[in-house]
Amino acid sequence: MNNQLNISALASIDIQKVNKDELVDVSGLALDPGVPQELRAGYILKSTENPYCFRVGDLGVKLEFLDSAPSLQDALSDFFQRKKSGL
């Protein structure tokens, strides 16, 4: 339950009110595809401090997810299909 509360707190941070210089810059973050997915998730959590709110260079990034949204895999597949067909 404590982890759930922490995740909720991390997800609810307002990117507009955060000093972007205090966010972790993930520009150099690299994932080893040979490492199992469960361990990669832990690495991201440890490296970013907040997987919902971080920085890429000078750009602050806030991730939000909807329960009704398509999976990331489906969204990317649709995107690449559209790109391939020239749309």
Side-chain angles (χ1 to χ4, degrees):
M1 181 89 131
N2 194 16
N3 286 341
Q4 185 68 28
L5 292 175
N6 290 336
I7 294 294
S8 296
L10 292 174
S12 67
I13 289 178
D14 184 351
I15 189 72
Q16 301 296 323
K17 295 180 181 178
V18 174
N19 179 352
K20 73 176 178 181
D21 294 328
E22 295 177 5
L23 297 174
V24 174
D25 186 358
V26 298
S27 297
L29 187 67
L31 298 175
D32 180 355
V35 174
Q37 186 173 2
E38 308 81 46
L39 297 177
R40 284 185 264 161
Y43 174 73
I44 291 171
L45 284 171
K46 191 178 207 179
S47 300
T48 61
E49 297 175 17
N50 183 345
Y52 296 99
C53 195
F54 50 88
R55 174 169 62 94
V56 179
D58 288 332
L59 179 67
V61 177
K62 171 70 187 266
L63 297 180
E64 296 183 25
F65 303 94
L66 297 173
D67 290 334
S68 61
S71 70
L72 178 59
Q73 182 174 350
D74 290 344
L76 288 173
S77 293
D78 290 345
F79 170 77
F80 289 123
Q81 286 294 339
R82 287 192 311 272
K83 286 298 237 183
K84 185 177 178 180
S85 62
L87 298 176

